[in-house]
Amino acid sequence: MVNIVLFAEDYGHEEFVKALVERLSRENNVPVKITLRNVRGGHGKVVTEFQVFLRDLEHAREELPDLLIVATDANCNRYAKRRREIDKINDKFKNFTIYAIPNPHIERWLLLDSAAFKIVLGKGCGKPDKKCSRDRYKQRLLKEMQSAGVVPPLGGIEYAEDIVNAMDLQRMENANASFSKFLKDLQSKFKEWSSK
């Protein structure tokens, strides 16, 4: 069994990334155990908590997993900048780390595959624009769900697993560069694990 530790900025990242990892686990016939490191409080808190965890790994206070996933929004700062910020503190464990950095926000990833949205909610969603504004995509996700006749108590994130499982990953890869980077890195790991 492959041991994965997921550091997620919030519930949305946690649900989306966990669903995608579990989907690839099934598709590649590679069992995984995901340990969630619930980090609330935004990107800064993710970096701080990740730094503490890395120190614990270095001093053998934590068991070294097969993979570390850090999930945090780009928040209009671009993928490369966010990745550099995290890499800066992660010298020793870079080979064990991949990044889910939605640009600009995780909710936009849920809106990228209208066909998957329709499968899950009965009505497709409009293609999201590429603007950078706080809460823009949270509001858009909620609006699209309400348009499909669904009033989600958690803003729509509770449908992340179903939407991820319905997604055409090739279409998603072509639709968004930040998703493509994460998916390719994750698929590469599963290919490595399945060949063992």
Side-chain angles (χ1 to χ4, degrees), residues 22-184:
E22 289 171 346
R23 175 179 171 173
L24 292 179
S25 169
R26 288 188 306 274
E27 290 175 359
N28 290 280
N29 199 27
V30 174
V32 296
K33 176 187 171 207
I34 303 170
T35 303
L36 301 172
R37 295 293 177 143
N38 297 326
V39 179
R40 304 292 186 255
H43 173 73
K45 189 74 169 161
V46 169
V47 171
T48 301
E49 293 295 320
F50 188 55
Q51 196 168 22
V52 170
F53 180 76
L54 293 173
R55 259 189 254 125
D56 287 346
L57 280 179
E58 195 174 341
H59 295 100
R61 290 186 290 251
E62 292 276 355
E63 185 178 327
L64 183 65
D66 298 295
L67 179 65
L68 296 166
I69 300 175
V70 180
T72 184
D73 284 329
N75 288 336
C76 311
N77 285 311
R78 302 184 92 75
Y79 176 93
K81 181 179 179 189
R82 281 293 194 232
R83 181 165 176 165
R84 279 193 307 271
E85 288 172 0
I86 300 165
D87 273 344
K88 192 174 169 182
I89 63 165
N90 186 16
D91 290 336
K92 297 187 177 182
F93 303 102
K94 282 183 185 171
N95 292 338
F96 297 94
T97 309
I98 63 173
Y99 304 90
I101 305 175
N103 190 10
H105 305 286
I106 189 69
E107 291 82 6
R108 187 169 188 277
W109 280 6
L110 288 169
L111 295 164
L112 287 172
D113 189 338
S114 181
F117 202 90
K118 184 175 183 177
I119 289 167
V120 174
L121 297 157
K123 182 180 178 190
C125 59
K127 183 178 179 183
D129 55 18
K130 293 182 180 178
K131 301 213 179 206
C132 192
S133 173
R134 186 172 173 86
D135 295 330
R136 179 181 192 84
Y137 297 105
K138 284 181 185 178
Q139 292 167 3
R140 175 74 185 273
L141 180 62
L142 182 59
K143 182 180 173 188
E144 292 288 354
M145 291 200 165
Q146 290 170 337
S147 176
V150 175
V151 181
L154 299 176
I157 293 300
E158 62 269 43
Y159 292 93
E161 181 178 1
D162 295 331
I163 293 171
V164 168
N165 285 324
M167 282 178 172
D168 177 327
L169 295 182
Q170 183 66 47
R171 184 170 41 234
M172 285 289 293
E173 196 172 349
N174 294 332
N176 185 269
S178 63
F179 179 83
S180 178
K181 288 173 185 157
F182 176 54
L183 180 63
K184 284 179 181 174

